[in-house]
Amino acid sequence: MNEPVIAQTSPFAVQVEADKTYWWCACGKSANQPFCDGSHKASGFTPLKHTPAEAGTAYFCGCKRSANPPLCDGSHRKLIGPQPPGAV
């Protein structure tokens, strides 16, 4: 499988609703990041379903390299090097 496109090198902070289904873009090609817009067609990637139990801020992975998709696990830091204190 091809590597996904890096949409951005930081997470997408999104206000989510409890029990609402969100479809996270796994390919990185969506114009509606971090969510799927169908751009993955014929790419070998499929969107990932995310249904939070609680409302609040979710940090969706922007680099598409998280080991805990669709949420950010800090993997973007490996792509951009050391960050200043307080960076996400």
Side-chain angles (χ1 to χ4, degrees):
M1 183 181 292
N2 298 329
E3 288 288 317
V5 173
I6 298 170
Q8 70 179 30
T9 54
S10 60
F12 290 93
V14 177
Q15 292 299 313
V16 295
E17 298 175 33
D19 302 317
K20 180 178 177 181
T21 297
Y22 298 86
W23 291 95
W24 176 73
C25 169
C27 71
K29 295 178 181 180
S30 174
N32 189 35
Q33 291 292 333
F35 304 116
C36 179
D37 69 0
S39 295
H40 64 276
K41 302 254 189 284
S43 71
F45 291 96
T46 56
L48 187 63
K49 181 179 178 179
H50 179 67
T51 308
E54 297 180 9
T57 304
Y59 294 90
F60 288 92
C61 176
C63 73
K64 312 303 179 184
R65 304 300 193 275
S66 177
N68 185 36
L71 303 177
C72 176
D73 69 353
S75 292
H76 60 277
R77 292 185 190 122
K78 296 174 191 169
L79 301 172
I80 58 176
Q83 296 294 293
V88 290

